[in-house]
Amino acid sequence: MGEFEAIRPYDDAEVAEVLARLSADPAFLGALTRFRFPRLAGPLGWLLKPVIAHRLRREFHGIASVTALQDKIEPYVDRTIERATDGVTYSGVDKLTPGSPYLFVANHRDIVMDPAFVNYAVYHAGVPTPRIAIGDNLLQKPFVSDLMRLNKSFIVHRNLAGRREKLAAFQLLSAYINHSIRVDGQSIWIAQAEGRAKDGDDRTDSAILKMFHMSRKDEPFASVIHDLHVVPVSISYEYDPCDLAKARELYIRATTGSYEKAPGEDDTSIALGITGYKGRVHIAFNDEIREDIGDAKLLAAEMDRRILGGYRLFPVHYLAYALWSERDPALAVPKLESLFGNDEIARARAEWQKRLDACPEEQRPWLVLQYATPVRNQYRIKAGLPL
């Protein structure tokens, strides 16, 4: 595994040492103090940090493997999900064979919670959790890198300037993904494209699919895809905690031509994505790609058909679509009342109105866009129309 040293997750032999390092990391202890005691962290942080460090050492005592760590934190993840959602459902997980590794390629709406919900689904189904691809832009602090690599995350290098460096990074990533699935027997989770789909338009980047093949260029593309057991995954949120921030960014991009993130903006998005209200969440594991598709663009189109087709539409999506100036009158989109009960619609109307009221008027078209686009995409697929 020496060639993958710079990007791989931590293995079992490293767990105890990394946990000890985290228990003594001032930045990590400070972040936990601010999260757990936001009002007291400033004046009493000096007093609370040693208490939290002692609690961490006690909680981490005896943990010597990644699986044991995941078992330990799973109740905390469950509680976080219970507080921030109205329930999580999943479909298709019964088609996964325990012990068989998969390459889960999913739509991307939330930085942390997308892979967390996939982990949640497979963990509770008794299937081993996947290794998670995460961009190095999110690992600015050493303790964040430690935390993610402890939780089976591997690093995707994005901040590279030269073409040669980018090519080498893609080659290494391709080799690692193939090694993980074919040699280690460990599943992988990766987003279908770099960055979140902030406009609600979930599309697979064919460059990601080409990357899977890069380290095995002497073999047919379709054969490599078969070996990797690619499973498209649709992650559906009833409400996006970051929807107002995304609307603001989309508006600024549309009116100025660019958008520059403020310092700490990713950290804010991560925190809001974890703790913010999401309504209901559904994770659909679509059928594995078993067809012989020898071209990355054709495969991307098939991935889109499955991911967009498997997306769970909630009442809010239809409410947004009805307001959307770009809705397609030729599409046979049914009336909201024919799909959902009156109580469910009333709750959705109230929540949707709250979000509209909180959004500056000039930014509302971009809020509507996020929720309406999945409706258009799915009914285009149902009608057999091109996306």
Side-chain angles (χ1 to χ4, degrees):
M1 282 286 283
E3 65 177 306
F4 306 124
E5 193 65 26
I7 67 170
R8 67 171 179 82
Y10 292 132
D11 58 35
D12 289 346
E14 298 168 291
V15 168
E17 179 187 342
V18 177
L19 289 176
R21 184 163 69 232
L22 282 169
S23 300
D25 187 305
F28 180 50
L29 295 173
L32 282 180
T33 304
R34 289 190 297 274
F35 178 74
R36 184 70 181 82
F37 306 104
R39 293 182 182 177
L40 300 177
L44 296 176
W46 63 274
L47 184 62
L48 292 169
K49 283 182 187 179
V51 175
I52 288 175
H54 175 73
R55 174 77 182 270
L56 283 177
R57 287 193 293 271
R58 192 176 66 192
E59 290 284 335
F60 291 158
H61 181 71
I63 294 176
S65 71
V66 172
T67 299
L69 179 62
Q70 287 194 329
D71 288 341
K72 185 74 174 179
I73 65 175
E74 187 59 29
Y76 297 99
V77 174
D78 287 353
R79 281 203 294 274
T80 300
I81 287 173
E82 286 166 10
R83 289 183 188 134
T85 75
D86 290 332
V88 181
T89 55
Y90 37 89
S91 59
V93 72
D94 54 310
K95 291 180 279 191
L96 303 177
T97 303
S100 177
Y102 296 94
L103 175 50
F104 299 115
V105 181
N107 61 324
H108 191 26
R109 298 297 187 84
D110 186 87
I111 295 169
V112 168
M113 294 311 296
D114 289 350
F117 280 122
V118 171
N119 269 0
Y120 177 90
V122 300
Y123 181 90
H124 287 283
V127 176
T129 56
R131 292 169 172 171
I132 299 163
I134 182 166
D136 61 353
N137 58 304
L138 302 175
L139 306 177
Q140 301 301 318
K141 299 181 178 71
F143 79 82
V144 176
S145 180
D146 276 347
L147 284 171
M148 298 308 291
R149 293 178 74 184
L150 274 175
N151 194 34
K152 299 174 75 169
S153 292
F154 61 96
I155 299 169
V156 178
H157 290 295
R158 287 180 176 165
N159 299 320
L160 300 171
R163 184 177 179 275
R164 185 175 296 177
E165 289 85 355
K166 288 180 180 178
L167 211 58
F170 261 50
Q171 183 78 20
L172 181 65
L173 185 58
S174 174
Y176 179 74
I177 289 171
N178 278 272
H179 187 281
S180 180
I181 289 172
R182 301 175 74 215
V183 179
D184 295 343
Q186 293 281 329
S187 294
I188 294 284
W189 176 94
I190 192 167
Q192 65 180 162
E194 183 179 321
R196 293 171 290 165
K198 294 170 185 173
D199 58 359
D201 197 10
D202 301 304
R203 300 301 178 99
T204 306
D205 184 354
S206 61
I208 299 287
L209 306 180
K210 288 178 184 175
M211 179 269 293
F212 300 153
H213 183 237
M214 276 184 72
S215 59
R216 298 168 61 190
K217 277 192 172 178
D218 56 333
E219 301 174 54
F221 179 83
S223 175
V224 171
I225 296 301
H226 282 170
D227 283 351
L228 295 177
H229 305 288
V230 177
V231 172
V233 180
S234 312
I235 305 170
S236 317
Y237 298 91
E238 185 171 14
Y239 301 104
D240 184 343
C242 299
D243 53 9
L244 296 178
K246 290 177 181 177
R248 177 178 173 274
E249 178 177 337
L250 292 168
Y251 166 74
I252 292 172
R253 282 188 186 280
T255 53
T256 69
S258 64
Y259 178 80
E260 188 171 335
K261 287 183 182 179
E265 190 167 332
D266 279 336
D267 293 344
T268 301
S269 295
I270 288 170
L272 186 57
I274 293 170
T275 60
Y277 176 64
K278 302 165 192 65
R280 291 166 290 181
V281 179
H282 184 76
I283 305 101
F285 294 85
N286 300 292
D287 289 341
E288 180 182 335
I289 301 288
R290 292 191 173 92
E291 295 82 355
D292 287 329
I293 304 175
D295 176 84
K297 288 189 176 179
L298 291 176
L299 179 57
E302 179 59 22
M303 296 285 291
D304 289 348
R305 191 184 70 78
R306 297 191 193 193
I307 291 172
L308 298 170
Y311 193 91
R312 173 72 58 87
L313 296 174
F314 296 101
V316 65
H317 295 104
Y318 292 91
L319 290 170
Y321 189 75
L323 293 176
W324 195 25
S325 61
E326 296 179 39
R327 65 183 179 275
D328 186 348
L331 284 181
V333 177
K335 297 279 188 184
L336 184 64
E337 292 74 17
S338 68
L339 300 170
F340 305 99
N342 291 337
D343 289 347
E344 191 177 359
I345 293 171
R347 287 193 300 271
R349 285 191 192 281
E351 180 64 31
W352 177 232
Q353 191 59 51
K354 270 171 51 180
R355 288 166 189 268
L356 286 172
D357 291 344
C359 186
E361 187 174 355
E362 69 276 9
Q363 297 174 20
R364 284 178 197 165
W366 284 269
L367 179 65
V368 169
L369 173 73
Q370 295 171 55
Y371 288 94
T373 301
V375 178
R376 180 202 64 191
N377 287 342
Q378 193 164 113
Y379 282 92
R380 277 187 177 276
I381 289 168
K382 289 180 178 180
L385 297 172
L387 291 164

